Amino acid sequence: MTAPGTVQRFPRPVPRWRPPLPKGDLEALRDKLQAWQPFDGDAVLDDAAAALDDVPPATGAAEAIAERLRGHLARLVTIAAAAEEDRRDAATAQLIEQARTLSAEDAPGDRRQAIGHLRRLGWTAGELLDRLVAARCLREVA
C-alpha cells in the first residue's frame, strides 16, 4: 500500500484536451442527433396498408400518408444504397429507381390520379422493405 503523500506523479505534462470539431460543428451534430428518429418498419407497413386499402383515404389524410411514404422511401433507398453489392439484385435496383422517381413527382391534382400515385408509393415502399428484409439489410418487421 502506498503511504499518503507518496503518490507517483506523471513525469511528462499531459496535453490539454481539445474538442475534435469547432463549437458550431459540435452543436450542429448535437442537434442532428437529438432530431434523429430510428427506422420504424411497422410504420412503413401501416402507411403502405393505408395507401393500398380498398377504401381510399380522405383527401387530407391521403396527402399526409403520401408525405410519410416519401420519407419512408427516402430512408429505404438510403439503406438499400448503403448495402453491399452482393446483397442487391436487379429487382432491388429497379425498386430503388422507382422509389426515387415516385418521390420526386408531385401528387396529381385529380383525386383519382392522386390515389393512384399514393398506391404506387405504398406498393413501392412495401416491396422495397420486403426486399431489404430478405437481403438481411433490415430486421424482420411485423
Side-chain angles (χ1 to χ4, degrees), residues 7-9 12 27-28 37 81 86 106-107 116 135:
V7 177
Q8 185 179 14
R9 303 279 180 202
R12 293 179 288 175
E27 289 171 349
Q37 295 292 321
D86 61 337
D106 290 331

Side-chain angles (χ1 to χ4, degrees), residues 34-97:
Q34 288 175 340
W36 176 76
Q37 295 292 321
F39 178 75
D40 186 1
D42 292 331
V44 176
L45 291 177
D46 290 344
D47 288 337
L52 297 171
D53 196 6
D54 290 339
V55 178
T59 303
E63 292 169 1
I65 294 168
E67 193 60 35
R68 288 194 306 268
L69 283 169
R70 283 187 187 91
H72 296 318
L73 284 172
R75 291 183 107 176
L76 289 168
V77 165
T78 301
I79 292 167
E84 293 124 21
E85 289 290 328
D86 61 337
R87 290 188 178 187
R88 278 187 262 151
D89 57 2
T92 303
Q94 185 178 3
L95 284 169
I96 291 170
E97 195 58 39

Side-chain angles (χ1 to χ4, degrees), residues 21-31:
L21 296 171
K23 182 180 178 182
D25 291 345
L26 286 173
E27 289 171 349
L29 180 62
R30 180 204 59 210
D31 293 343

Side-chain angles (χ1 to χ4, degrees), residues 1-2 4 11 14-15 21 30 34 36 41 43 58 76 100 108 119 128 130 140-142:
M1 216 161 124
T2 308
V14 177
L21 296 171
R30 180 204 59 210
Q34 288 175 340
W36 176 76
L76 289 168
R100 287 180 174 152
R119 289 178 191 236
L128 189 52
D130 288 345
E140 196 166 335
V141 291

